[in-house]
Amino acid sequence: MSGPKKKSVYAVDSSSLADEIKNSLKFEEDVTGQNVHSVNFAISGSKKKRVNEVGSKNKGKSASAEEAMTPVELNTKGSESHAKGCYGEALSFFDKAIASSPDNGRLHCNRACSLIGVMRFSEAIKEFEEGIRLAPTYFPVHEGLGTLLLGLGQVKNARKHLYFKDHKADKAKLQKLQAVAEHINKCTAARRLEDWTTVLKEAKAATNSGAVMSSQLFACQAEAHLKLRQLEEAQDRMNGAMSCDPSAASYKSKLFGILTEAYIYFVLCQIHTSFGRYNEAYNAIKRAAQVDPQNAEVIRLFKKMKLLGKGHTRGINLFLAGRYAEACSAYDKELTLDSSNSILYCERAACWSKLGEWEKSLADSNQALFFQPDYTKALSRRAISNLKLERWANAVRDYTSLQQEHPDDGDIADFLFHARVELEKSRREGKVELVSDLEKFRAAIASGRLSGISVSVVLFKEISNEECSEMSSVVDALCTKYYSSVRFLKVDVELSPEIAASDNITEVPTVMIHKGSVKLRVDRSYTQMLESMIRNAIFAPN
């Protein structure tokens, strides 16, 4: 992909989740207290004494102030840094406190919250588990872990901790849990039906409802964007998924029947493939297969990528060696494995252009743009193909789009100027363009407007029809007379029935006059009035 970089619309920020969990832990301020909950989180007197003794010895050795602090003091400093959003600094304080007091559950939980702030979720989960080991009946720690798991989209695992024995989290948090679960269920059903618009909608809703750091739901959104041919958005969302620690699912859980970590790499493989990054794609799906070797969907893609990557490399090497026909054959095989890959179509188009097969190059460029509408390289290949085929209006359209992306590119400016000159020249010579493809037909009418011509006249005819031949002569004469104001086209309905259907043509010869969104039908009985109708269309207000 080329063109200007888009600013990410998917900024990932874990600080709010970290602060929410830390504020909900409800630790006692007096960590030396001996009530039923705080006893397991307290620093024993003997440990405090040992720390103080170590601090006294170090004073004579120019020890830093931090080294002389007790775990209580280090915890306070860490909490202050956390409150300021300085999570890395907070971790440093908590690490030192835990080194002196490893059995202090409060320190492990506080460290977990700061780990969330720097998006190290796997480690945060382990710290919460250590806190639970030290105080297995203290519900706020279970709630903290449950809240983290909910933020990661692990609904089933989150529920175990948010509902613990006779305790349950507050109503708002439980409502979040229910909402996330419902949206994930809807998302799963939509993916099964390949309803990617709904998949995207429900995955976003699940994230917004509470699964704010769910790498698998971000990956799900990326997959939906990819299937909807929105590649830039897919890549952007995948970046968000990877920044959220895709290995955080230390609890085994599945999304769409795939283990969550495997699913993330399964989608990443597809993203890499769409951008032509085959080595990265293979490595991603290999990792997915290692995580979930029993999943049929993962293994199927893994087997395909083994073949796809090798064939793509062979196609590139053949192209660089100047063996363009063989490179085309290599890409043919690749496309049987991945028939919607815009990169492969674009690279085969380059081979066809080297062979002078401009129609085939044009067809492959169109396919590449169908699957990736903002693919600049494919647009450039289509533009040069149209230029070589002397389809001047289409070339003007493509080079106009390219110039908008690259206003300072001298080559694009030169090609655009040449195409415009030739388009004007063809009109002066009174040539009527024969159009045989529906997309080209629509583009021809649209490109007329781009060049300042608002009226298009289209003759629908059959080669063997005598009345059509007579009407064709009339249209040729009118083209010579009105070429500067009207775009004239001819369509053979036997060769292009889809174009005829688009204008509801049921008999020939028929002439359609297009002006903006207005269409005027002129059948054979009004042939004598055709010129006056064209003149009226030219001079009528828009």
Side-chain angles (χ1 to χ4, degrees):
M1 290 290 294
S2 57
K5 275 274 185 184
K6 297 180 181 178
K7 184 178 180 181
S8 173
V9 296
Y10 293 120
V12 177
D13 182 8
S14 61
S15 58
S16 58
L17 181 62
D19 294 342
E20 176 192 350
I21 294 174
K22 193 170 191 307
N23 292 336
S24 70
L25 286 173
K26 305 171 186 174
F27 289 120
E28 292 78 358
E29 289 302 317
D30 180 9
V31 295
T32 61
Q34 297 298 310
N35 65 49
V36 67
H37 294 310
S38 64
V39 62
N40 293 309
F41 290 84
I43 303 171
S44 69
S46 61
K47 283 182 180 174
K48 285 180 69 178
K49 181 180 179 182
R50 178 171 54 82
V51 173
N52 288 332
E53 288 173 351
V54 172
S56 297
K57 291 178 183 178
N58 288 341
K59 284 179 182 178
K61 300 177 182 179
S62 301
S64 69
E66 289 179 17
E67 289 175 330
M69 287 181 184
T70 66
V72 177
E73 293 167 333
L74 288 166
N75 177 66
T76 300
K77 285 287 187 181
S79 296
E80 289 172 354
S81 296
H82 182 102
K84 295 175 184 176
C86 302
Y87 303 118
E89 184 180 278
L91 283 172
S92 177
F93 285 116
F94 292 137
D95 287 344
K96 290 171 184 175
I98 290 172
S100 297
S101 185
D103 293 333
N104 186 317
R106 174 181 183 178
L107 295 176
H108 287 285
C109 293
N110 283 347
R111 184 174 187 271
C113 293
S114 294
L115 285 167
I116 294 168
V118 294
M119 302 179 72
R120 289 156 59 181
F121 302 129
S122 296
E123 294 175 68
I125 290 172
K126 290 177 182 177
E127 290 293 338
F128 273 124
E129 289 174 336
E130 180 64 8
I132 289 172
R133 185 186 70 80
L134 293 168
T137 62
Y138 189 49
F139 178 67
V141 186
H142 285 277
E143 185 177 5
L145 178 55
T147 303
L148 171 57
L149 292 171
L150 174 59
L152 296 175
Q154 296 188 39
V155 173
K156 185 177 179 180
N157 293 322
R159 184 176 282 111
K160 294 177 184 177
H161 292 281
L162 294 176
Y163 290 91
F164 179 71
K165 294 187 176 179
D166 297 328
H167 302 280
K168 62 181 179 179
D170 62 79
K171 184 178 180 181
K173 198 163 290 182
L174 297 179
Q175 286 175 339
K176 279 186 181 181
L177 180 72
Q178 183 63 29
V180 170
E182 289 177 359
H183 288 302
I184 288 177
N185 288 338
K186 290 178 182 178
C187 185
T188 302
R191 187 178 184 271
R192 194 178 299 117
L193 298 171
E194 298 186 358
D195 179 2
W196 297 108
T197 300
T198 301
V199 169
L200 182 59
K201 173 187 172 185
E202 294 299 333
K204 284 182 176 180
T207 302
N208 295 335
S209 296
V212 292
M213 291 291 122
S214 173
S215 52
Q216 59 263 42
L217 284 173
F218 292 164
C220 177
Q221 293 172 47
E223 184 179 33
H225 279 303
L226 182 66
K227 300 299 185 180
L228 294 169
R229 301 195 293 278
Q230 299 164 353
L231 265 66
E232 290 291 348
E233 292 86 347
Q235 177 66 76
D236 200 15
R237 207 47 173 154
M238 198 69 229
N239 290 341
M242 299 307 294
S243 72
C244 283
D245 185 3
S247 63
S250 59
Y251 292 83
K252 292 289 184 182
S253 60
K254 291 188 176 184
L255 185 68
F256 314 133
I258 307 176
L259 286 173
T260 53
E261 185 182 354
Y263 173 70
I264 294 161
Y265 286 101
F266 172 79
V267 177
L268 181 61
C269 170
Q270 297 177 68
I271 301 288
H272 282 318
T273 302
S274 296
F275 282 95
R277 302 188 291 256
Y278 292 97
N279 287 337
E280 294 93 330
Y282 176 75
N283 290 334
I285 195 61
K286 182 180 179 181
R287 182 162 180 178
Q290 290 169 343
V291 173
D292 195 353
Q294 304 303 318
N295 184 269
E297 197 171 2
V298 170
I299 298 305
R300 188 161 53 246
L301 183 57
F302 179 51
K303 290 179 179 178
K304 186 174 86 169
M305 286 310 304
K306 280 184 176 179
L307 300 172
L308 191 60
K310 291 178 183 178
H312 178 253
T313 301
R314 183 169 180 269
I316 291 174
N317 291 336
L318 288 168
F319 180 88
L320 294 174
R323 296 159 63 182
Y324 305 121
E326 292 175 73
C328 283
S329 297
Y331 287 125
D332 289 345
K333 293 178 181 178
E334 294 294 279
L335 285 164
T336 61
L337 297 170
D338 190 0
S339 61
S340 61
N341 191 298
S342 57
I343 303 294
L344 297 177
Y345 282 113
C346 188
E347 290 179 353
R348 192 171 68 176
C351 296
W352 291 128
S353 68
K354 291 292 186 180
L355 294 168
E357 296 279 1
W358 295 108
E359 286 284 3
K360 292 180 179 179
S361 177
L362 179 63
D364 276 352
S365 298
N366 278 327
Q367 281 294 95
L369 287 165
F370 174 77
F371 291 113
Q372 191 173 338
D374 56 353
Y375 192 3
T376 303
K377 186 180 286 187
L379 180 61
S380 181
R381 297 210 187 286
R382 187 173 75 177
I384 193 65
S385 298
N386 279 319
L387 204 67
K388 293 292 185 179
L389 292 167
E390 299 184 0
R391 292 175 184 164
W392 309 120
N394 292 349
V396 167
R397 174 202 63 199
D398 290 344
Y399 280 117
T400 298
S401 296
L402 287 168
Q403 190 177 56
Q404 290 171 353
E405 286 192 45
H406 305 284
D408 299 324
D409 192 307
D411 290 337
I412 290 174
D414 290 343
F415 285 133
L416 178 58
F417 176 78
H418 175 66
R420 282 174 171 164
V421 168
E422 291 298 326
L423 177 60
E424 189 62 28
K425 181 181 176 182
S426 70
R427 288 178 178 145
R428 284 198 303 271
E429 293 172 352
K431 291 182 178 178
V432 181
E433 298 173 63
L434 180 65
V435 184
S436 58
D437 177 86
L438 179 58
E439 181 185 351
K440 295 170 189 173
F441 170 73
R442 289 170 175 164
I445 292 175
S447 64
R449 299 191 199 105
L450 284 173
S451 56
I453 295 177
S454 61
V455 179
S456 296
V457 172
V458 186
L459 169 62
F460 292 90
K461 66 184 186 66
E462 292 176 349
I463 294 176
S464 58
N465 187 303
E466 186 175 338
E467 287 184 280
C468 289
S469 298
E470 293 174 3
M471 180 66 87
S472 184
S473 298
V474 171
V475 170
D476 288 343
L478 292 171
C479 179
T480 303
K481 191 172 182 178
Y482 294 102
Y483 69 87
S484 62
S485 304
V486 180
R487 181 77 180 275
F488 287 88
L489 306 169
K490 290 180 182 178
V491 175
D492 187 324
V493 298
E494 292 175 314
L495 296 176
S496 309
E498 69 281 1
I499 301 180
S502 72
D503 263 359
N504 297 316
I505 302 302
T506 57
E507 61 177 3
V508 292
T510 295
V511 174
M512 294 293 294
I513 301 175
H514 291 250
K515 184 172 184 178
S517 60
V518 177
K519 297 180 185 180
L520 178 64
R521 184 186 303 271
V522 185
D523 62 28
R524 71 189 79 178
S525 59
Y526 289 91
T527 301
Q528 301 301 321
M529 300 174 61
L530 180 58
E531 183 172 2
S532 63
M533 290 180 175
I534 291 173
R535 286 177 58 82
N536 288 338
I538 294 170
F539 297 110
N542 291 322

